[in-house]
Amino acid sequence: MMTPPTSPLRVGVIASGGGTNLQAILDRISAGDLDAEVVIVISNNRNAGALKRAREAHVEAVHCSETSSGSSERFVRELIGHLQHARVELVVLAGYMKLVPEDVVNEFADRMINIHPALLPKFGGKGYYGMRVHEAVIDAQESESGATVHFVDNRYDHGPILLQRKVPVFPDDTPEGLRGRVLEAEHQLLPDAIARFAHSYRRRMDTG
Ligand code: GRF
């Protein structure tokens, strides 16, 4: 059951790592450039920098994982419960290193997005994460790379693309150098993608 559109868009972020993409969203919101509110941050890693950043921004920060829940069924119930209790309208995977359980994807069909550090559909899918992505781009002698925000389905990095942002790849690039350039693009792209979603989501809900 979708809650009627509220302004600002209620965003739930799920992350496993340092949370620089989460921070980019928080910064764009506090600059008054994104009509959204991060209402909850959930991580499978109790020590994730993303949870620290959430606490510093006075956003609900929750550790929730299959391990901590004790079973996959209970994990699914708890994860959906956290998101529904926070009345999340858009779920954003910002460096979530696991496959989202199918029941969770289905509960938030067309309202869950993921950011990937490459120009999908190339260099995506199982095994393409972190530095492996940038190493593969350089090994393939690509002239450009970038970041992709896409809707989440039940396969890694596979759903419909919402927005992409390109960056050049230089002949002497190292994977670390390329990673830094792509991450900068991600920090622009993700808030832009949320704004685009919010616009179409409101229009969709207004027209019923
Ligand atoms: C980003 O590169 C994102 O594309 C990938 O995981 C990384 C998360 O980085 N899915 P951070 O935790 O947001 O800094």
Side-chain angles (χ1 to χ4, degrees):
M1 169 63 179
M2 282 193 190
T3 51
T6 56
S7 174
L9 184 79
R10 296 178 67 85
V11 174
V13 176
I14 307 179
S16 301
T20 65
N21 275 288
L22 163 65
Q23 194 63 54
I25 300 167
L26 294 169
D27 292 348
R28 184 80 74 88
I29 291 171
S30 53
D33 290 340
L34 178 58
D35 189 17
E37 179 188 1
V38 179
V39 293
I40 189 169
V41 175
I42 300 170
S43 182
N44 59 305
N45 170 7
R46 70 173 71 250
N47 301 314
L51 293 180
K52 188 168 178 296
R53 293 175 190 272
R55 292 186 197 105
E56 284 166 1
H58 309 295
V59 173
E60 185 182 3
V62 175
H63 170 236
C64 181
S65 68
E66 194 161 332
T67 316
S68 65
S69 302
S71 73
S72 52
E73 293 77 15
R74 191 151 165 208
F75 170 59
V76 167
R77 276 201 313 278
E78 288 179 359
L79 184 53
I80 292 176
H82 286 303
L83 294 168
Q84 288 181 332
H85 185 258
R87 289 187 294 116
V88 166
E89 295 172 287
L90 173 66
V91 180
V92 176
L93 308 184
Y96 183 58
M97 290 299 140
K98 305 263 185 183
L99 192 62
V100 179
E102 192 166 343
D103 289 349
V104 183
V105 174
N106 295 340
E107 180 67 29
F108 289 90
D110 305 325
R111 295 191 295 141
M112 183 181 287
I113 60 176
N114 176 54
I115 185 159
H116 181 75
L119 295 176
L120 294 177
K122 295 172 78 172
F123 306 106
K126 196 165 173 52
Y128 278 106
Y129 57 87
M131 291 305 285
R132 292 184 180 195
V133 175
H134 309 299
E135 287 161 1
V137 168
I138 289 173
D139 289 349
Q141 297 183 322
E142 297 285 337
S143 60
E144 61 182 17
S145 187
T148 302
V149 176
H150 64 93
F151 288 99
V152 174
D153 60 14
N154 293 304
R155 291 167 56 187
Y156 279 110
D157 307 325
H158 178 263
I161 290 173
L162 175 55
L163 209 53
Q164 290 188 308
R165 194 178 178 98
K166 291 182 178 177
V167 300
V169 181
F170 300 118
D172 58 349
D173 258 338
T174 62
E176 189 49 56
L178 179 55
R179 175 185 176 276
R181 194 173 311 124
V182 171
L183 196 57
E184 270 178 40
E186 292 179 50
H187 296 163
Q188 296 301 317
L189 179 68
L190 188 50
D192 289 349
I194 294 171
R196 176 170 294 194
F197 174 87
H199 180 71
S200 64
Y201 177 73
R202 280 204 194 90
R203 235 194 13 248
R204 198 166 67 220
M205 297 306 282
D206 287 351
T207 52

